[in-house]
Amino acid sequence: MKFSATCPHCAHEFQTEYRDSGIHDLSCPHCAKRYVLFIRKHRFEMLFDLGTRALIGGFAREAVANFSAALERCFEFYLRAALLERAAGEGRGLDTVTRELEATWKLLVSQSERQLGAFAAVYFGRQGRAPDFLTPQSLGSDFRNRVIHRGYLPREEEVEGYAARLFALMNRLLEELGDAALQVTVLQEREYAAALARLPDSVPAVFEEHPGMFRVRRDESGGPLVHSAPAPAHAPNDAAAFQRALLERGVLVAELFGKRR
């Protein structure tokens, strides 16, 4: 999937593919000069943005796949943030905890059922209540399976309803995480800092906060792990919240990725 980038050397705008790492080592097709673009956005945010782009562009079936993947990665984001938050509260070192977390995640990465079970356990441990939103009805699982696995061609309004349901759930999880979201953000900033340190002085680095449907909290200082108490429970957003976000930032998302190439 491509998005629009602007060269810091000549201000030429061009299309480039999104990198999974968020770090883009680019050469401008106009002036041929190199620069590195760092997109400060988490994977679930980008996937939901891609779903938004597909929905706006009339590609309803493709939007479902992206929205579904975004929810799964949001569960992973919550799990990582909650576990790192607990480790911070225990005074454990970030590097050690990160290695242990990565080793544990390798046991789950190839099976979505295991990931969902791990998330449910972590959610209960942090929030003190069962994740009652994990029912097939709440997740729209039947609709997703019909589209992804059985080739159903959904109507646009059906996809909007599905997206609104997931948007509400993901917003709820982010609100409940509160400042704990900084735990995962710090890891991303450390990766970016390491990549930045390896760049030659002649290669400029550009950091961009791309517009998106969510606004995940970010530690601007790139400092150490932050310990925070769990946020109070919030009422789930209704479908109107997704429509407001779509009106506010959906067009920006479409402009960010540019025309379909």
Side-chain angles (χ1 to χ4, degrees):
M1 187 67 74
K2 293 186 176 182
F3 66 94
S4 297
T6 302
C7 175
H9 299 284
C10 66
H12 178 77
E13 185 175 309
F14 60 98
Q15 293 285 304
T16 189
E17 288 188 324
Y18 176 73
R19 305 292 196 275
D20 193 64
S21 66
I23 303 173
H24 306 73
D25 195 333
L26 305 173
S27 293
C28 175
H30 182 70
C31 67
K33 292 184 178 179
R34 179 190 175 196
Y35 77 100
V36 176
L37 172 63
F38 298 80
I39 297 182
R40 302 175 78 189
K41 184 180 288 293
H42 296 288
R43 190 174 302 171
F44 77 89
E45 297 178 280
M46 184 58 68
L47 287 166
F48 203 93
D49 287 350
L50 294 176
T52 302
R53 177 197 175 182
L55 181 60
I56 292 174
F59 299 92
R61 191 172 189 279
E62 291 79 359
V64 171
N66 283 313
F67 289 138
S68 174
L71 179 64
E72 291 181 354
R73 299 288 63 80
C74 187
F75 287 159
E76 178 188 352
F77 182 90
Y78 181 101
L79 182 149
R80 289 176 177 272
L83 293 179
L84 289 170
E85 177 190 45
R86 175 179 296 181
E90 297 170 350
R92 302 176 63 193
L94 175 59
D95 292 334
T96 299
V97 173
T98 301
R99 287 195 299 270
E100 293 175 351
L101 181 55
E102 291 302 325
T104 303
W105 188 252
K106 287 181 180 180
L107 304 175
L108 311 173
V109 69
S110 61
Q111 292 186 301
S112 57
E113 293 84 0
R114 288 185 177 182
Q115 293 178 30
L116 192 62
F119 164 76
V122 170
Y123 182 89
F124 174 76
R126 185 178 191 272
Q127 304 299 141
R129 60 180 180 276
D132 55 359
F133 49 81
L134 291 184
T135 64
Q137 294 78 14
S138 297
L139 298 179
S141 299
D142 181 64
F143 173 73
R144 173 198 175 278
N145 291 337
R146 280 191 294 143
V147 172
I148 301 299
H149 299 300
R150 299 200 289 273
Y152 174 65
L153 300 178
R155 300 187 307 276
E156 185 174 316
E157 56 267 28
E158 290 180 290
V159 179
E160 286 188 359
Y162 177 71
R165 183 189 301 269
L166 301 194
F167 179 81
L169 174 54
M170 293 165 72
N171 255 347
R172 169 182 170 175
L173 293 177
L174 294 175
E175 288 173 0
E176 290 178 343
L177 274 177
D179 286 339
L182 298 178
Q183 313 293 343
V184 184
T185 299
V186 165
L187 295 182
Q188 184 186 68
E189 294 298 327
R190 281 162 55 98
E191 292 178 3
Y192 285 7
L196 182 63
R198 293 192 295 268
L199 287 182
D201 293 338
S202 59
V203 178
V206 177
F207 285 77
E208 292 191 6
E209 294 274 5
H210 278 189
M213 301 292 285
F214 301 95
R215 294 190 176 99
V216 176
R217 301 186 184 201
R218 185 174 294 277
D219 179 14
E220 296 296 341
S221 67
L225 286 169
V226 179
H227 177 62
S228 62
H234 291 267
N237 297 337
D238 55 20
F242 172 70
Q243 290 300 328
R244 288 194 297 270
L246 196 60
L247 287 173
E248 179 185 355
R249 298 189 291 282
V251 175
L252 292 175
V253 170
E255 291 176 351
L256 162 66
F257 288 106
K259 296 181 180 179
R260 190 176 178 87
R261 296 297 178 95

